[in-house]
Amino acid sequence: MTWTIPNTLTFIRLLAAPGVALMFLYFHRPWADWFALGLFVGAAITDWFDGYLARLWKQESKFGAMLDPIADKAMVVIAIMVLTGYNGMNPWLILPATVILFREVFVGGLREFLGHKSGLLKVTKLAKWKTTAQMVAIAALFLGTGLEYLNGVAMQGMTPEQYAEAVSHGLADPIRACGKRDCASFANIAGLVLIWIAAGLTALTGWEYFTKAKPFLKEDP
């Protein structure tokens, strides 16, 4: 295994995955939210750069090919775990999250069963779109979660209606308003829409891989 720049970027992304959860252990909110968001976005950017640089510099390796999907899955799984906890176990998030986690376990099991034939389950363009959708959705949800916390602090026990009235009278901070909707709601709704799209793409790629594996799952005559 050679420590090329692409391989190093992939390894850093793998280390960043548990780092997202650790932000909430070592920092108070909302700093934990912003640090987690920054770490996740930074790691997601490396997902594009490591593959691009490996192809550009002809440094593609078996180590990188093995580690890249592991790092992606670790990032997504850990981030989803954190988000579901800090979003109050919102069913609109739990349902697509369940689809995503089930698919990752299912495809991982298929690859393990196929062994040396697992090369048939190569990453497709649809799978790359799936990963991109997941990461954009998770980034939006981290942003919404952090802003929601700030809204809660600003409200100080007030209902949203009371808070809106306080803002209109200049008694509360209106800085988190994004047009006619508060920024937290805007980010959360965008994140939930994107995570459902990502879940749909995730299910499609799972079915695609299962279809490829079906001939090898038949019982011997």
Side-chain angles (χ1 to χ4, degrees), residues 5-162:
I5 290 178
N7 284 348
T8 302
L9 289 175
T10 304
F11 187 70
I12 290 173
R13 188 164 76 260
L14 180 64
L15 294 180
V20 169
L22 290 175
M23 294 299 103
F24 292 87
L25 180 62
Y26 289 105
F27 297 99
H28 294 292
R29 301 185 70 191
W31 291 109
D33 299 84
W34 308 143
F35 289 152
L37 173 62
L39 185 61
F40 184 86
V41 170
I45 290 172
T46 68
D47 185 33
W48 183 83
F49 272 106
D50 59 8
Y52 173 76
L53 293 177
R55 292 186 295 272
L56 180 66
W57 296 338
K58 302 187 186 305
Q59 293 181 344
E60 295 170 294
S61 65
K62 290 183 178 180
F63 177 76
M66 175 274 296
L67 196 62
D68 185 70
I70 294 175
D72 290 345
K73 288 175 176 57
M75 281 181 59
V76 169
V77 169
I78 292 173
I80 284 177
M81 176 191 70
V82 172
L83 285 167
T84 51
Y86 281 98
N87 274 271
M89 303 301 286
N90 182 354
W92 290 102
L93 175 58
I94 290 176
L95 288 172
T98 300
V99 171
I100 291 170
L101 297 180
F102 177 82
R103 181 269 186 196
E104 300 303 351
V105 173
F106 180 74
V107 172
L110 277 180
R111 284 198 168 101
E112 184 176 350
F113 174 79
L114 291 174
H116 68 279
K117 297 175 183 176
S118 62
L120 294 168
L121 306 183
K122 291 181 179 178
V123 177
T124 62
K125 279 190 175 182
L126 184 61
K128 291 180 179 179
W129 278 106
K130 172 266 299 181
T131 300
T132 300
Q134 287 176 352
M135 291 185 175
V136 173
I138 288 170
L141 287 168
F142 266 126
L143 177 61
T145 302
L147 292 172
E148 193 68 47
Y149 176 80
L150 288 178
N151 278 352
V153 171
M155 287 182 189
Q156 297 181 353
M158 292 183 284
T159 65
E161 292 76 17
Q162 291 171 333

Side-chain angles (χ1 to χ4, degrees), residues 143-144 147-148 151 175-179 181-189:
L143 177 61
L147 292 172
E148 193 68 47
N151 278 352
I175 197 170
R176 284 171 290 283
C178 292
R181 183 182 294 278
D182 70 273
C183 298
S185 297
F186 185 84
N188 280 325
I189 291 172

Side-chain angles (χ1 to χ4, degrees), residues 17 40 167 192:
F40 184 86
V167 169
L192 287 173

